[in-house]
Amino acid sequence: MAFNIASSPHAHNRRSTRDIMRTVILCCSLGVAAQCFFFGWGTLINIAFASIIAVATEASIMKIRQRPIMPYVRDNSALLTGVLIGIAIPPLAPWWITVIGVIFAIVIAKHLYGGLGQNLFNPAMVAYVVLLISFPVQMTTWLPPQSLAAEPVSFVDSLMAIFTGFTQDGFSAYQLRASVDGVTMATPLDTLKTSLTTGLTTTEVLAKPIFGSIAGVGWEWVNLGFLIGGLIMLKMRIIQWYIPVGMLAALFIISSLGFLISPDGTASPLIHLFSGATMLGAFFIATDPVSAATTPRGRIIFGALIGILVYLIRTWGGFPDGVAFGVLLANMCVPLIDYYTRPRTYGHS
């Protein structure tokens, strides 16, 4: 009998890495559908384009490394990275943003460390942070929900705006950010953060049309879609509960404390839970089996650390959302977390 040694991720079930990655992608579909419904076709176009670039880049790197191409392409890890990047970037971001992000994720964040199972950080989040810091204007040009948009964007308009910079009628992505009342709109988290610094109270900010009954219009449904997809993965045992529960519980507790202390100056727990990339991060990003903590207690601590960092960055940091930064900072702490949460050796007194 041959004894094969392979790098992580190691799944304790009969599913292959290919099947696990494919299932994760399928479970993303509810959140993606909600995102497309409220913010247009740009997200779907970005996902398709990013996936193609990711698979092509993976194949090219395997060719350069003189490794067999098809086994690595077919494991769907590169495809999942492309899907996550396509979800994370704004719907009408220029095509070259997607190309830079995907190539950086595959080449630098993944294969520079040796490939799947060797990367220290989540490749999609590394790419997102690099793009956000390098191209802040393009990476913050999110559209208002379709119901509030002054100029609805069709599939053809989205395609033209991504690859040419303008729609059929000559509108740029920046111009399309205008709402029906002519006000240029930002994301709910950005709107809340900016408005609070100008002296408005939380109640006054939440009266703006971009906010719905729970959180931002559209964003609450997007997060609900990713929550349902995450629960499906838990039911199928694709992921374990430690990291999502640790992250969401910590975010809920610390945001509740902040809201109790200063209800007019901070966001409520529901806004934090159902805004931005909270549910996407909790179930689809932080649970990356390669870059996350490995022990049960360590995973809870890892998730809780992300939740705390997300709240701190959203409340006092320079960016409206902090999921990507929280995940990467927690990735840095994984060796320390695993060291201090090692299970006691069997039989050791």
Side-chain angles (χ1 to χ4, degrees), residues 44-125:
L44 200 59
I45 296 171
N46 284 338
I47 290 173
F49 185 54
S51 299
I52 293 171
I53 299 300
V55 172
T57 304
E58 181 85 358
S60 301
I61 291 298
M62 289 297 102
K63 180 70 173 178
I64 294 172
R65 296 180 63 186
Q66 299 181 349
R67 301 281 185 89
I69 295 175
M70 294 312 298
Y72 291 93
V73 169
R74 287 176 177 170
D75 68 10
N76 292 328
S77 62
L79 181 62
L80 178 59
T81 298
V83 169
L84 292 176
I85 292 175
I87 293 172
I89 64 178
L92 299 185
W95 63 270
W96 49 267
I97 288 284
T98 302
V99 173
I100 293 174
V102 171
I103 292 177
F104 194 94
I106 301 295
V107 177
I108 305 298
K110 181 180 178 181
H111 284 287
L112 189 65
Y113 291 94
L116 181 65
Q118 306 297 324
N119 49 285
L120 302 178
F121 304 97
N122 185 289
M125 291 301 94

Side-chain angles (χ1 to χ4, degrees), residues 148 150 175 177-185:
L148 301 177
Q175 291 172 317
R177 292 178 66 192
S179 64
V180 290
D181 58 3
V183 177
T184 299
M185 303 191 75

Side-chain angles (χ1 to χ4, degrees), residues 275-320:
S275 293
T278 300
M279 296 300 173
L280 176 67
F283 291 98
F284 295 92
I285 296 172
T287 53
D288 175 19
V290 179
S291 57
T294 58
T295 65
R297 280 192 303 149
R299 288 171 179 168
I300 295 175
I301 295 171
F302 176 80
L305 178 60
I306 295 174
I308 294 170
L309 289 170
V310 167
Y311 178 79
L312 294 177
I313 294 170
R314 285 178 175 178
T315 306
W316 294 289
F319 295 92

Side-chain angles (χ1 to χ4, degrees), residues 6-344:
S7 60
S8 59
H10 302 297
H12 296 282
N13 54 46
R14 296 182 181 275
R15 297 186 180 95
S16 65
T17 300
R18 177 185 180 184
D19 291 337
I20 292 173
M21 297 293 179
R22 182 173 58 215
T23 303
V24 173
I25 293 171
L26 290 176
C27 289
C28 282
S29 59
L30 286 175
V32 171
Q35 199 163 317
C36 291
F37 179 81
F38 285 100
F39 301 103
W41 292 98
T43 297
L44 200 59
I45 296 171
N46 284 338
I47 290 173
F49 185 54
S51 299
I52 293 171
I53 299 300
V55 172
T57 304
E58 181 85 358
S60 301
I61 291 298
M62 289 297 102
K63 180 70 173 178
I64 294 172
R65 296 180 63 186
Q66 299 181 349
R67 301 281 185 89
I69 295 175
M70 294 312 298
Y72 291 93
V73 169
R74 287 176 177 170
D75 68 10
N76 292 328
S77 62
L79 181 62
L80 178 59
T81 298
V83 169
L84 292 176
I85 292 175
I87 293 172
I89 64 178
L92 299 185
W95 63 270
W96 49 267
I97 288 284
T98 302
V99 173
I100 293 174
V102 171
I103 292 177
F104 194 94
I106 301 295
V107 177
I108 305 298
K110 181 180 178 181
H111 284 287
L112 189 65
Y113 291 94
L116 181 65
Q118 306 297 324
N119 49 285
L120 302 178
F121 304 97
N122 185 289
M125 291 301 94
V126 172
Y128 178 81
V129 168
V130 168
L131 291 174
L132 184 61
I133 294 174
S134 303
F135 311 103
V137 175
Q138 291 81 3
M139 289 297 293
T140 55
T141 309
W142 282 86
L143 298 178
Q146 295 277 50
S147 59
L148 301 177
E151 189 69 29
V153 185
S154 66
F155 177 83
V156 175
D157 284 333
S158 299
L159 200 62
M160 291 186 63
I162 291 171
F163 290 99
T164 69
F166 298 93
T167 65
Q168 297 178 90
D169 297 324
F171 291 104
S172 65
Y174 183 81
Q175 291 172 317
L176 292 171
R177 292 178 66 192
S179 64
V180 290
D181 58 3
V183 177
T184 299
M185 303 191 75
T187 62
L189 285 174
D190 197 7
T191 300
L192 180 64
K193 193 182 190 76
T194 304
S195 299
L196 290 177
T197 59
T198 62
L200 295 178
T201 64
T202 302
T203 303
E204 292 171 333
V205 178
L206 296 181
K208 295 185 177 184
I210 196 172
F211 290 96
S213 55
I214 298 178
V217 174
W219 289 102
E220 51 197 11
W221 291 101
V222 171
N223 276 276
L224 182 61
F226 287 122
L227 171 61
I228 294 173
L231 294 177
I232 292 173
M233 290 196 298
L234 285 174
K235 178 68 175 178
M236 297 177 66
R237 299 182 182 275
I238 298 296
I239 60 175
Q240 294 181 309
W241 63 268
Y242 306 106
I243 294 174
V245 170
M247 174 181 167
L248 296 178
L251 181 58
F252 177 79
I253 292 170
I254 191 172
S255 60
S256 297
L257 291 174
F259 191 66
L260 287 173
I261 295 171
S262 177
D264 289 331
T266 57
S268 70
L270 285 179
I271 291 178
H272 278 289
L273 290 176
F274 289 93
S275 293
T278 300
M279 296 300 173
L280 176 67
F283 291 98
F284 295 92
I285 296 172
T287 53
D288 175 19
V290 179
S291 57
T294 58
T295 65
R297 280 192 303 149
R299 288 171 179 168
I300 295 175
I301 295 171
F302 176 80
L305 178 60
I306 295 174
I308 294 170
L309 289 170
V310 167
Y311 178 79
L312 294 177
I313 294 170
R314 285 178 175 178
T315 306
W316 294 289
F319 295 92
D321 204 352
V323 172
F325 293 98
V327 170
L328 295 182
L329 290 171
N331 287 158
M332 295 180 185
C333 300
V334 164
L336 190 65
I337 293 173
D338 282 346
Y339 179 80
Y340 283 105
T341 58
R342 289 179 301 179
R344 184 177 292 273

